[in-house]
Amino acid sequence: MKITRALPRPLQQVNRTYARFGTTNLSYFGGCDYFRLSSHPLILKALQDGSKKYGLTVAASRSTTGNHQLYELLEARLAKFFGAPAAVLCSNGYLSNLAVAQALAGMHSHALIDERAHSSLVDAALFLDCPIMRFKHRDAGDVARVLQRIGPGAKPILLTDGMFSHDGSIAPLKAFLKSLPRDGVVLLDDAHGAGVLGKSGKGSVEEAGVGRSRVIQTIALSKAFGVYGGAILCGDDLRQKVQAKSRVFHGNTPVPLPIASAALAAVALLSSRKALRIRLFRNIERVRIAFRKMGYHSTENSSPIIQLLLRHPGQLPSLKQILMANGVFPSFIKYPGGPADGYFRFAISSEHSPAQINALLKAFREIGASCFL
């Protein structure tokens, strides 16, 4: 029986910024490893040292016999990095949103969710035990209209990504908070913004210039930090609620100890190596300026993500060939909730060399902006 492949062809990432595709190494602008910390020597050393010192796993929930000093230390370091009162470590970023929602179940009258929100927020909204209302993508005006419909006595929670992974657009967090009543809060999935956005990498909260009192920020350690795991950045009251009420927190084995060791090294690295952020934004600016000059649609924000939607899907094979001829992996994806025909998604990193940036730009000069919407 013939088995249809449901997943893309496997890739092997090599030399930090390349991917082996068949027998060829191509410049890799896929994924979300914005500083390529997943292959940084200091992170790998911390991983290896952690494995030798601590073993692999605690093999139990933190609520029973699985708590460990590394987890509490990592929570303290994350809270300090992001300037939050407290942090709660979760085994991955997806579960961070579910843990928050379980802790807050029944405490809000309505959940307002961006129509393009990440699936983890869609799932989290179900745990909030209240009516769910969608609003137009990144549209604070529509949020205000929804709030008007539900009445003045509402106590809403708004769910949104900070930086949307499909195209790099950034949520208007300040406008959302202005629209919400005083006791309304935002659950902010900042998986892609954390470590990248803001003057010091504190994410969408810092980028928007807003306080934390009405924002619950969740992050993934598998993007800018290059490791694995998730965390909730919040006040001490919510930290206690998550630890007391969340079934995800209670019933889940935490991240392996070597990963926690590597995450501590990653937080230290992003805290101290300012040159990483300088290189990242230099590369982002160079690509965005060049794209605009070539007539491509390119946002003015500081996101490392470039999205390109095909005008005619039938052109895809030839466009892939042009990219590969220039030594660039054709990062074309189909993602649930995204365009049915798929799209090109390129993520700029701090570690891409000038030659790799040149190759990417050369390929898109040959392709031409008219091929895309």
Side-chain angles (χ1 to χ4, degrees), residues 37-327:
L37 294 191
S38 66
S39 53
H40 192 287
L42 291 178
I43 307 303
L44 296 179
K45 184 178 186 303
L47 181 76
Q48 292 160 0
D49 290 347
S51 178
K52 291 175 184 176
K53 186 174 181 179
Y54 304 112
L56 183 59
T57 178
V58 293
S61 164
R62 289 180 69 188
S63 299
T64 57
T65 57
N67 202 12
H68 193 281
Q69 62 182 358
L70 276 188
Y71 301 141
E72 296 190 351
L73 180 58
L74 180 53
E75 287 172 334
R77 296 283 172 81
L78 285 169
K80 182 179 179 181
F81 180 93
F82 285 97
V88 183
L89 187 65
C90 297
S91 57
N92 61 58
Y94 201 106
L95 293 183
S96 298
N97 290 324
L98 304 189
V100 170
Q102 289 177 345
L104 296 180
M107 296 183 64
H108 291 274
S109 64
H110 299 79
L112 282 58
I113 185 167
D114 189 294
E115 64 184 0
R116 300 285 314 261
H118 190 266
S119 54
S120 61
L121 288 175
V122 176
D123 287 346
L126 300 174
F127 286 106
L128 286 166
D129 193 24
C130 64
I132 301 168
M133 308 183 75
R134 291 182 177 268
F135 60 87
K136 294 177 183 176
H137 182 46
R138 299 173 58 243
D139 190 333
D142 198 44
V143 168
R145 287 188 287 274
V146 171
L147 288 169
Q148 208 167 25
R149 289 205 309 272
I150 63 180
K155 185 182 177 183
I157 179 170
L158 185 149
L159 289 73
T160 182
D161 299 42
M163 182 168 78
F164 289 83
S165 62
H166 64 279
D167 66 353
S169 60
I170 297 172
L173 188 55
K174 185 176 287 188
F176 285 162
L177 288 168
K178 188 176 179 180
S179 296
L180 289 172
R182 282 187 299 177
D183 57 355
V185 299
V186 173
L187 174 53
L188 178 75
D189 183 331
D190 216 18
H192 292 269
V196 174
L197 297 180
K199 185 178 179 180
S200 56
K202 292 181 174 65
S204 302
V205 174
E206 187 177 37
E207 181 82 359
V210 299
R212 291 188 167 274
S213 61
R214 297 165 62 207
V215 178
I216 303 161
Q217 183 183 21
T218 61
I219 65 168
L221 297 173
S222 54
K223 316 302 182 191
F225 293 92
V227 285
Y228 195 74
I232 304 158
L233 303 163
C234 58
D236 194 60
D237 182 61
L238 180 56
R239 177 188 66 81
Q240 292 180 44
K241 281 188 174 68
V242 169
Q243 293 176 349
K245 297 175 64 177
S246 169
R247 296 183 298 279
V248 164
F249 183 84
H250 280 301
N252 192 247
T253 303
V255 295
L257 292 166
I259 297 292
S261 175
L264 282 164
V267 173
L269 201 62
L270 281 189
S271 299
S272 61
R273 300 286 181 88
K274 308 301 182 187
L276 287 172
R277 291 175 53 74
I278 291 170
R279 287 204 304 270
L280 174 62
F281 289 111
R282 183 178 61 207
N283 284 348
I284 292 170
E285 184 179 23
R286 185 176 169 214
V287 171
R288 289 197 179 278
I289 288 173
F291 265 56
R292 284 194 289 269
K293 286 182 177 177
M294 288 187 280
Y296 288 89
H297 170 72
S298 182
T299 59
E300 299 286 344
N301 66 31
S302 50
S303 163
I305 298 168
I306 305 288
Q307 181 200 64
L308 295 166
L309 297 169
L310 290 174
R311 190 175 297 277
H312 303 292
Q315 293 179 306
L316 179 60
S318 62
L319 301 189
K320 282 185 173 181
Q321 285 299 320
I322 293 172
L323 284 159
M324 293 178 67
N326 281 278

